Amino acid sequence: MDVEYVRKNYNIAELTETITRDEPRLLPEQREIYIEIIDSVRLNQGKLFFLNAPVHTGKTFVINFILAKLRAERRIAIACASSGIAATPL
């Protein structure tokens, strides 16, 4: 599939709605992670991040928010998980 097609295929209105709704819901620790990852992407630093936390601490929420933010900027963003169970919600 053509990369430009993928970039242009995002529903920007829906992503913007998600960002507007969810950004105020970020907890301080979640916001810190979000800012660090977004800054890394915008500065083209090529870092690898591993998000590890106990269950029900908002990992999927943060990942989905980061994906929405990057995709709204028309960037290609893909989430990966290292186990089948962790990959299920993604």
Side-chain angles (χ1 to χ4, degrees), residues 32-49:
E32 186 178 327
I33 292 163
Y34 151 72
I35 290 170
E36 186 167 343
I37 292 171
I38 294 294
D39 286 349
S40 173
V41 172
R42 288 181 179 156
L43 296 172
N44 211 16
Q45 293 177 329
K47 291 183 179 180
L48 178 67
F49 292 91

Side-chain angles (χ1 to χ4, degrees), residues 8-89:
K8 295 176 182 175
N9 201 30
Y10 294 138
N11 183 337
I12 303 301
E14 184 178 303
L15 293 170
T16 302
E17 182 180 311
T18 298
I19 294 163
T20 302
R21 180 193 66 225
D22 290 346
E23 190 163 20
R25 297 171 57 199
L26 288 170
L27 299 174
E29 295 85 3
Q30 293 171 330
R31 185 173 303 279
E32 186 178 327
I33 292 163
Y34 151 72
I35 290 170
E36 186 167 343
I37 292 171
I38 294 294
D39 286 349
S40 173
V41 172
R42 288 181 179 156
L43 296 172
N44 211 16
Q45 293 177 329
K47 291 183 179 180
L48 178 67
F49 292 91
F50 181 78
L51 185 56
N52 184 29
V55 293
H56 303 297
T57 55
K59 295 180 298 292
T60 302
F61 173 76
V62 172
I63 290 167
N64 288 334
F65 182 77
I66 291 168
L67 291 172
K69 188 72 171 181
L70 293 173
R71 290 171 178 166
E73 295 177 2
R74 298 200 178 271
R75 296 177 184 266
I76 296 173
I78 301 169
C80 306
S82 59
S83 75
I85 294 171
T88 302

